[in-house]
Amino acid sequence: MHPRFAPVRGCFQDLFAGGRETGAALTIWYDGAPVVDLLGGPGWRPDTLVNVYSVGKPVAALCLLKLVDRGRVDLDDPVAAHWPGFRTPATVRQVLSHTAGLPVFPVPRPAEAIGDWTLLCADLAAAEPEWAPGTVAGEHAWTYGHLVGELVRRVDGRSVGRFLAEEIAGPWGLDLGFGLDAADRRRCAELSYGDPGWPTRMLGEPGSLRARALGNPAGGLDLAVVNSPLWRGAEVPAVNLHATAAGLARLYAGLLAGGTLDGVRLFSPELVAEATRVQYDGPDLVLDRRAYWTLGMQWEPDGSWGMGGIGGSSAWADPERGYTFAYATARLAEHDRVDELVEALHSCL
């Protein structure tokens, strides 16, 4: 690790020494090169995969955006133009920017439904939107990956997991994926709760839009489910990307460089610019706060763009300061750990 970034290492080690972290990895690229690559926890290896929850949303979005870049899909196409029988009058852009009005799977489903892509997509196709598409945002917490992924499948023929592996992860050498095979499932970190009340706290008020968005299908916050072969082998792209911090930081390094990494161009600079531009600025009905949504990412007032995941994992690019940051944690708690690491990083720049 570059000695300039020693305060980051110290902060990372303090999280473990204080018992706030039990298994995590941190990778930072600065000025186009990796400068921090840390991991800690029993049995953790450089290739340990972590379920990073919503950190996967931009990754799923990039699969659809690659088809936009190729001219196979237009951002302002109605979803129904590619997905016959889809009732909500939303556009591809509205799906990508969380304004489509479909943040909830409409039919209550048990955890087993996680593995039934066709069933969940049929539920969404028949759903009545919660609001008129384009009028307001609400993070499509569990539904985002099925909306985006089914568009990928309808246009390209491949599942979003296979598309990601063949079109993005493979060419850029990224260790991340949806729908893991048996060998990759054996590399996964076991998730644990920072405290027993975490899942109840994350769901929020019973019956609220947030609780409905996060609680169906059942099991997405249940350790018995998310540590299971069912979850790891299924494609639930909104919330079950399994990734290394190194893979995520590398992905954002490619985007920060305008879509080219190590001489391999996957996205046009124009597509990256549009994908990272704010498409919606206003209240988010699921997050219950103001949000700035791009095409798949959250934009922050400091100009950075990326995504945090429920539980504490996070990945983003900061164009102003010239770095990309990825933190993958198996201990499901708050984002204060990332806040402290970022404070340490900024003190070095």
Side-chain angles (χ1 to χ4, degrees):
M1 190 183 81
H2 196 289
R4 174 180 180 179
F5 297 95
V8 179
R9 183 196 293 274
C11 181
F12 184 81
Q13 291 171 336
D14 287 347
L15 293 174
F16 286 87
R20 294 165 61 203
E21 189 54 90
T22 55
L26 171 67
T27 303
I28 299 167
W29 284 50
Y30 177 66
D31 200 20
V35 293
V36 173
D37 202 3
L38 301 170
L39 54 91
W44 271 66
R45 298 155 37 106
D47 69 346
T48 294
L49 294 170
V50 188
N51 186 106
V52 292
Y53 281 103
S54 287
V55 177
K57 286 186 171 72
V59 181
L62 285 169
C63 294
L64 182 54
L65 288 166
K66 190 153 179 60
L67 294 172
V68 171
D69 215 8
R70 286 176 174 165
R72 303 280 306 279
V73 183
D74 190 88
L75 287 170
D76 297 310
D77 286 348
V79 174
H82 303 284
W83 184 345
F86 189 87
R87 290 180 57 187
T88 297
T91 65
V92 173
R93 188 187 302 273
Q94 289 162 350
V95 163
L96 284 164
S97 59
H98 295 267
T99 62
L102 294 169
V104 177
F105 283 108
V107 183
R109 298 293 184 191
E112 293 73 34
I114 288 161
D116 195 334
W117 179 270
T118 303
L119 175 71
L120 294 177
C121 288
D123 285 350
L124 286 173
E128 288 289 337
E130 300 275 340
W131 60 80
T135 59
V136 70
E139 184 182 358
H140 286 44
W142 260 215
T143 61
Y144 190 83
H146 284 74
L147 292 167
V148 168
E150 183 65 1
L151 278 165
V152 170
R153 192 188 73 79
R154 296 266 176 169
V155 172
D156 178 79
R158 285 173 284 183
S159 76
V160 68
R162 187 176 154 209
F163 189 95
L164 171 63
E166 295 176 357
E167 297 284 353
I168 299 175
W172 271 3
L174 311 177
D175 196 1
L176 47 79
F178 302 118
L180 304 183
D181 63 22
D184 286 340
R185 291 200 293 270
R186 288 193 287 272
R187 296 196 283 132
C188 291
E190 292 286 303
L191 302 185
S192 65
Y193 296 142
D195 69 81
W198 180 82
T200 304
R201 207 164 55 248
M202 291 304 104
L203 275 175
E205 287 296 312
S208 66
L209 185 62
R210 178 184 177 90
R212 291 192 292 125
L214 293 177
N216 181 40
L221 303 175
D222 181 346
L223 294 181
V225 174
V226 297
N227 287 326
S228 72
L230 168 70
W231 179 267
R232 292 169 179 169
E235 294 188 17
V236 192
V239 285
N240 88 335
L241 183 74
H242 288 77
T244 63
L248 289 164
R250 187 173 168 80
L251 171 67
Y252 278 95
L255 296 176
L256 190 59
T260 300
L261 182 66
D262 295 342
V264 179
R265 180 169 173 172
L266 291 187
F267 303 97
S268 68
E270 296 77 16
L271 185 280
V272 174
E274 181 62 19
T276 57
R277 180 178 70 80
V278 175
Q279 309 277 332
Y280 173 85
D281 169 6
D284 184 294
L285 302 184
V286 173
L287 298 175
D288 198 25
R289 61 172 170 80
R290 183 178 182 178
Y292 306 87
W293 287 111
T294 76
L295 297 177
M297 306 179 201
Q298 285 199 54
W299 181 90
E300 298 296 338
D302 67 356
S304 61
W305 33 261
M307 197 74 184
I310 199 169
S313 294
S314 221
W316 72 87
D318 187 325
E320 291 295 313
R321 297 179 179 89
Y323 72 79
T324 74
F325 179 107
Y327 186 72
T329 176
R331 189 160 182 82
L332 302 175
E334 314 307 327
H335 281 88
D336 52 338
R337 294 162 290 177
V338 165
D339 296 340
E340 291 169 30
L341 289 163
V342 170
E343 193 175 331
L345 171 61
H346 288 179
S347 76
C348 306
L349 300 178

